[in-house]
Amino acid sequence: MLRTPDAVRSVSLVDASSQACSQPARLVYTSDKHPRQTLEAMNLLRRHRELCDVVLLVGCRQIYAHRVVLSACSPYFHAMFTGELSEARQSDIQIRDVDETAMELLIEFAYTAQVTVEESNVQALLPAACLLQLAEIQETCCEFLKRQLDPSNCLGIRAFADTHACQELLRVADRFTQHNFQEVMESEEFLLLPAAQLTEIISSDELNVRSEEQVYTAVLAWLRHDLPQRRILLPQVLQHVRLPLLTPKFLVGTVGSDLLIKSDEVCRDLVDEAKNYLLLPQERPLMQGPRTRPRKPVHCGEVLFAVGGWCSGDAISSVERYDPRSHDWRMVASMAKRRCGVGVAVLDDLLYAVGGHDGSSYLNSVERYDPKTNQWTGAVAPTSTCRTSVGVAVLNGLLYAVGGQDGVSCLNIVERYDPKENKWSRVASMMTRRLGVAVAVLGGFLYAVGGSDGTSPLNTVERFSPQENRWLPVPPMGTRRKHLGCAVYQELLYAVGGRDDSTELSSAERYNPRTSQWTAVVAMISRRSGVGLAVVNSQLMAVGGFDGTTYLKTIEVYDPDANTWRLYGGMNYRRLGGGVGVVKMTQCESHIW
């Protein structure tokens, strides 16, 4: 048989490979485009009503679809089409008690993996998603409603969550109601509450009120809103007001003299119980109960942590926290390792310290701090590369470590940490190597700002899209900066301080993503290289750094209305290249230790 040259080369290749390796050559290929293109093709068929084998009759609408697609996406349809139900053999299926527009959106989601949740459709979309058992859409609707919580609507959202068994939304709405009770009690929704929901709210130990008088006033306002129907409910509701905690003047002058209270025997007994409690302090240990228990409202607040850094010629492991409510800095548990040039970020209310330099070597270890227990743990996977002067930020629940240096070279590599898997993985590298880079998250993008490429400071900026897994350039800053501070404040990206070719900087500028422009803002009072920048309780704070002569422990706060910086006290330690992180804490948590 005559062989062509191509055939000869092909045989030679096979022969050579079989001689070199006992395993046959293989190439496993997985297409990223295939699932998307397949869905697009099936959706096109649906829109043209081609190969459709089922029609959903919802209200006045006919929705054409394919059983296999619906079954793959929805446990509800899977059970309908693969079981013994009569619908398994029907081509036209009536779906009752579902909003037709919501159903259409969910069928569209099955083919496109996309849905838009908004105020106008969420109340119809969530019940429909519950029916079809689309857990992903249920979670998305609940997350949307969480973001809409307001004193004027939280009770309605709470009732809606209860009706549809959305336990997480119910919990969040409950907490929101308790924390904002003073505003909630003035809303129209509050006056329309059923008695059972009212008593559930006012019986909470965590009700945030200045005094029990507010609870009494709210209950009486609710009662008088529909007095003929609600008067009989007064004893049932009043027993959840902690009358013994009222002032004697209010108890006698306001509560005891109210005609509604005086006309009901049970209510009179409750007032007498409170009077005895107030008049007989020596008997109070024997009179304890739900109505004598002080409320312990939980107030949310943000706390600033300053972590590690360089002080007095050495890397430090010390950590301190600043509470804006008490205006003081307190030392907390130190890290296991000394870390200068450490990257710090907050994920799930836990503080992560990534990499750094301990004074003698570059680190790839990571430590995690729990403010509730005041403890650090090293049970976090290390980064793949030792890094100091690394930028760290959290995007979409993942912790990113960006750039830095490893003792040999300046890095452009980027890793991200998944706390669920306790694992770091590589993503696309930056276009430019950057040490002393500042990073922040704005509009769903991760920004890498300035730094040094190992030779000179940079003014360039790039941002990472997690959806596309690539970095794209952003307009450069007006000033070259390394070891700068960066944070997002009022939807603008601020870059402050750092160092250029010759000196430490006090200048600052900010980037507007809507106009793609950087503009200068007023300079800080002090020059600050290695500065930490963070937003704490809606205040932009510049923390520590080096002014060219002295390591700093001072803080400056920026006033955007006046375009000025002002000094704001100081830390216990001077810190250059320390990390800063902001944790949202509750009042009770902040006083555990």
Side-chain angles (χ1 to χ4, degrees):
M1 179 178 178
L2 183 64
R3 290 181 175 172
T4 65
D6 286 340
V8 172
R9 281 197 296 271
S10 176
V11 170
S12 299
L13 175 62
V14 172
D15 291 344
S17 65
S18 61
Q19 291 171 4
C21 179
S22 60
Q23 295 294 325
R26 299 176 65 219
L27 174 62
V28 178
Y29 171 72
T30 301
S31 172
D32 294 328
K33 298 178 182 178
H34 175 73
R36 177 170 44 82
Q37 290 177 341
T38 301
L39 272 178
E40 288 173 355
M42 288 191 292
N43 193 37
L44 196 60
L45 290 170
R46 179 182 70 90
R47 289 182 174 279
H48 293 160
R49 299 184 178 181
E50 295 175 344
L51 303 180
C52 294
D53 54 4
V54 68
V55 181
L56 304 179
L57 308 177
V58 188
C60 300
R61 299 190 191 179
Q62 294 181 334
I63 305 175
Y64 286 76
H66 305 89
R67 293 172 191 264
V68 64
V69 176
L70 301 186
S71 298
C73 296
S74 162
Y76 172 85
F77 283 124
H78 183 269
M80 176 184 289
F81 296 141
T82 62
E84 298 300 321
L85 298 175
S86 60
E87 287 88 349
R89 296 176 295 278
Q90 295 175 1
S91 58
D92 292 2
I93 298 173
Q94 187 84 43
I95 307 290
R96 304 184 188 279
D97 302 321
V98 179
D99 182 87
E100 54 194 48
T101 302
M103 180 61 83
E104 213 158 39
L105 287 172
L106 294 178
I107 301 304
E108 186 84 14
F109 170 78
Y111 285 84
T112 64
Q114 187 173 30
V115 66
T116 300
V117 181
E118 51 195 4
E119 287 184 43
S120 61
N121 66 22
V122 67
Q123 293 191 58
L125 201 57
L126 180 56
C130 290
L131 173 70
L132 302 189
Q133 299 172 282
L134 294 172
E136 192 176 2
I137 305 301
Q138 289 174 253
E139 291 172 7
T140 301
C141 290
C142 289
E143 186 60 37
F144 175 83
L145 288 170
K146 284 183 199 176
R147 298 178 184 180
Q148 307 308 308
L149 280 169
D150 182 84
S152 65
N153 67 18
C154 61
L155 293 173
I157 291 177
R158 180 185 183 278
F160 187 66
D162 196 18
T163 300
H164 298 289
C166 299
Q167 295 304 316
E168 176 62 13
L169 178 59
L170 178 62
R171 184 190 67 80
V172 172
D174 256 336
R175 296 296 291 274
F176 185 92
T177 300
Q178 293 162 6
H179 296 164
N180 297 278
F181 182 75
Q182 295 170 55
E183 292 82 20
V184 172
M185 62 182 275
E186 297 174 358
S187 69
E188 182 70 18
E189 282 190 347
F190 179 80
L191 298 176
L192 300 175
L193 275 176
Q197 290 185 27
L198 173 70
T199 55
E200 189 177 345
I201 292 168
I202 64 173
S203 62
S204 169
D205 286 345
E206 296 180 355
L207 202 63
N208 181 22
V209 289
R210 291 189 302 273
S211 71
E212 199 65 22
E213 295 173 9
Q214 289 183 300
V215 184
Y216 174 83
T217 301
V219 166
L220 267 289
W222 175 86
L223 187 81
R224 291 192 168 100
H225 186 73
D226 188 4
L227 190 57
Q229 297 295 322
R230 295 176 176 174
R231 184 167 187 165
I232 194 173
L233 300 171
L234 177 58
Q236 172 190 333
V237 174
L238 191 66
Q239 66 176 313
H240 297 286
V241 180
R242 303 181 184 186
L243 298 182
L245 303 183
L246 296 171
T247 63
K249 181 178 179 181
F250 189 87
L251 178 65
V252 175
T254 302
V255 181
S257 62
D258 192 292
L259 293 177
L260 288 171
I261 304 295
K262 293 170 69 174
S263 63
D264 187 277
E265 183 180 356
V266 175
C267 293
R268 291 199 305 271
D269 289 343
L270 290 171
V271 172
D272 289 340
E273 175 193 66
K275 287 180 179 177
N276 291 335
Y277 186 83
L278 293 171
L279 292 170
L280 303 170
Q282 70 279 8
E283 300 295 329
R284 288 178 188 173
L286 303 175
M287 302 168 68
Q288 295 302 311
R291 284 186 288 278
T292 63
R293 187 167 58 240
R295 299 188 192 270
K296 298 177 181 177
V298 178
H299 300 286
C300 286
E302 291 181 338
V303 175
L304 174 68
F305 287 83
V307 180
W310 189 269
C311 175
S312 303
D314 203 359
I316 56 177
S317 62
S318 72
V319 182
E320 53 189 306
R321 61 184 283 274
Y322 173 76
D323 188 340
R325 292 167 296 181
S326 58
H327 301 288
D328 67 347
W329 285 90
R330 293 172 51 191
M331 301 305 299
V332 300
S334 295
M335 296 178 290
K337 289 186 177 290
R338 295 176 296 155
R339 298 175 187 269
C340 175
V342 58
V344 172
V346 175
L347 174 58
D348 295 332
D349 294 329
L350 300 172
L351 200 67
Y352 286 78
V354 180
H357 191 278
D358 66 1
S360 59
S361 59
Y362 296 85
L363 304 173
N364 68 340
S365 63
V366 181
E367 297 184 55
R368 181 177 62 216
Y369 175 77
D370 187 344
K372 296 177 184 177
T373 62
N374 189 30
Q375 290 183 334
W376 288 89
T377 175
V380 184
T383 55
S384 65
T385 305
C386 293
R387 298 165 179 260
T388 188
S389 301
V390 57
V392 176
V394 172
L395 174 59
N396 297 335
L398 301 171
L399 180 69
Y400 285 77
V402 179
Q405 62 176 322
D406 61 5
V408 177
S409 60
C410 180
L411 305 173
N412 66 345
I413 61 174
V414 182
E415 301 176 72
R416 67 183 175 198
Y417 174 75
D418 186 340
K420 296 187 176 106
E421 298 183 4
N422 189 28
K423 180 180 177 183
W424 290 88
S425 57
R426 289 278 187 97
V427 297
S429 296
M430 293 182 290
M431 296 180 289
T432 304
R433 298 177 182 271
R434 298 176 188 269
L435 68 88
V437 60
V439 296
V441 172
L442 176 60
F445 296 99
L446 179 68
Y447 284 78
V449 181
S452 169
D453 61 4
T455 304
S456 59
L458 304 168
N459 67 345
T460 59
V461 182
E462 54 189 296
R463 73 181 189 186
F464 175 74
S465 167
Q467 289 80 19
E468 301 177 78
N469 188 32
R470 66 170 178 163
W471 291 86
L472 292 173
V474 172
M477 296 180 289
T479 302
R480 294 193 293 165
R481 305 173 187 271
K482 63 179 179 181
H483 304 299
L484 67 155
C486 184
V488 173
Y489 181 55
Q490 297 180 346
E491 299 184 6
L492 300 172
L493 182 66
Y494 280 75
V496 308
R499 180 179 172 84
D500 61 11
D501 288 304
S502 58
T503 186
E504 281 66 31
L505 302 170
S506 61
S507 63
E509 53 192 306
R510 65 189 178 198
Y511 174 73
N512 187 334
R514 293 179 291 277
T515 62
S516 294
Q517 289 184 332
W518 288 89
T519 56
V521 296
V522 67
M524 295 180 290
I525 297 168
S526 299
R527 299 176 181 271
R528 296 178 185 267
S529 172
V531 59
L533 194 67
V535 177
V536 190
N537 287 345
S538 301
Q539 291 186 307
L540 183 65
M541 294 186 174
V543 181
F546 180 67
D547 66 3
T549 305
T550 305
Y551 299 112
L552 303 173
K553 62 179 180 179
T554 57
I555 317 295
E556 293 184 46
V557 173
Y558 177 68
D559 183 342
D561 296 325
N563 192 28
T564 58
W565 293 86
R566 59 185 173 86
L567 287 172
Y568 199 72
M571 299 176 286
N572 295 297
Y573 275 77
R574 303 175 185 274
R575 298 177 189 272
L576 158 69
V580 293
V582 178
V583 179
K584 180 169 282 190
M585 299 180 67
T586 60
Q587 187 181 56
C588 60
E589 288 168 351
S590 64
H591 294 292
I592 283 177
W593 31 269

